[in-house]
């Protein structure tokens, strides 16, 4: 999906992709009811996109939706993914959620005004480098949500700005 705007979707997600090879480049995802992007059991590259929890256009009337407080910017499970040079703004839950044995490389992203910027869960391996964090409650967080998975691993390379918060559940 290239240079598109995905917005005001009243379903679970703005985009939901499963069992695929993915390239999302230069898109805007805003104001969708739950997750802006949900990718399961896939591989690919997510680059140069902008993710907003709230609609960019005020007064849009086609779908009257309420924004889910648990909605994420991008939610990955069981995938191999690279998240590069994206912008994530204003998510009340997670800007980037990486779970269920996902392998992810997260580089060069701007993560502003989110509750949690990057979250690793449930046996995922996450490599992060040169992301910019501003005004998030938590920059990087890791925990086990589902007991049949092992704990996640986060590798933060030369990034003195982030603080990893490890929570065991």
């Amino acid at each position: 999906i290239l240079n598109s705007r995905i917005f005001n979707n009243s379903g679970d997600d703005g985009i939901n992709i499963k069992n695929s090879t993915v390239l999302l480049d230069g898109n805007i995802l805003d104001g969708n009811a739950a997750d802006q992007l949900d990718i399961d059991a896939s591989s690919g590259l997510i680059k140069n996109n902008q993710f907003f929890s709230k609609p960019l256009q005020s007064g849009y009337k086609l779908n009257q939706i309420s924004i889910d407080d648990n909605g994420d910017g991008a939610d990955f499970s069981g995938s191999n993914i690279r998240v590069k040079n994206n912008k994530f703004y204003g998510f009340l839950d997670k800007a980037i959620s990486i779970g269920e044995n996902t392998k992810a490389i997260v580089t060069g992203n701007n993560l502003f005004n989110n509750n949690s910027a990057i979250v690793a869960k449930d046996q995922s391996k996450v490599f992060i480098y040169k992301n910019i964090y501003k005004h998030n409650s938590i920059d990087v967080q890791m925990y086990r949500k589902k007991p049949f998975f092992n704990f996640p691993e986060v590798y933060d390379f030369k990034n003195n700005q982030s603080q990893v918060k490890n929570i065991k559940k």
Side-chain angles (χ1 to χ4, degrees):
I1 301 173
L2 306 173
N3 303 314
S4 298
R5 182 172 175 217
I6 311 299
F7 65 105
N8 206 48
N9 184 346
S10 58
D12 283 343
D13 306 309
I15 300 174
N16 187 290
I17 299 171
K18 297 180 182 185
N19 303 310
S20 300
T21 301
V22 178
L23 171 63
L24 270 75
D25 187 357
N27 302 291
I28 298 173
L29 294 91
D30 68 289
N32 297 295
D35 298 336
Q36 303 303 306
L37 173 65
D38 190 330
I39 295 180
D40 303 315
S42 297
S43 62
L45 176 60
I46 312 304
K47 68 175 186 172
N48 304 319
N49 301 288
Q50 298 180 62
F51 297 83
F52 300 91
S53 65
K54 295 182 180 177
L56 292 178
Q57 187 175 346
S58 63
Y60 196 78
K61 301 291 184 192
L62 181 60
N63 290 321
Q64 293 297 316
I65 61 171
S66 59
I67 303 302
D68 185 345
D69 290 351
N70 292 314
D72 302 324
D75 186 344
F76 305 105
S77 67
S79 296
N80 293 306
I81 207 81
R82 185 163 180 203
V83 182
K84 179 182 177 183
N85 299 334
N86 300 284
K87 297 177 182 177
F88 294 86
Y89 297 100
F91 290 93
L92 299 176
D93 196 13
K94 299 172 286 296
I96 304 173
S97 178
I98 304 164
E100 297 180 350
N101 201 28
T102 292
K103 310 307 185 268
I105 299 171
V106 182
T107 59
N109 298 283
N110 293 319
L111 301 128
F112 301 150
N113 300 315
N114 303 292
N115 181 45
S116 296
I118 300 171
V119 176
K121 305 177 291 189
D122 298 335
Q123 204 169 324
S124 293
K125 283 189 180 178
V126 181
F127 301 87
I128 57 179
Y129 183 65
K130 288 193 175 180
N131 297 292
I132 298 171
Y133 307 90
K134 289 187 182 176
H135 310 295
N136 302 297
S137 297
I138 300 169
D139 290 340
V140 180
Q141 183 178 19
M142 55 190 282
Y143 59 86
R144 183 172 71 174
K145 182 177 180 182
K146 298 175 182 171
F148 47 88
F149 285 107
N150 291 324
F151 287 95
E153 299 174 37
V154 173
Y155 302 92
D156 188 351
F157 295 97
K158 297 181 183 179
N159 193 347
N160 297 325
Q161 296 180 36
S162 69
Q163 297 295 320
V164 178
K165 183 174 181 179
N166 187 3
I167 298 175
K168 295 182 180 182
K169 288 188 176 183

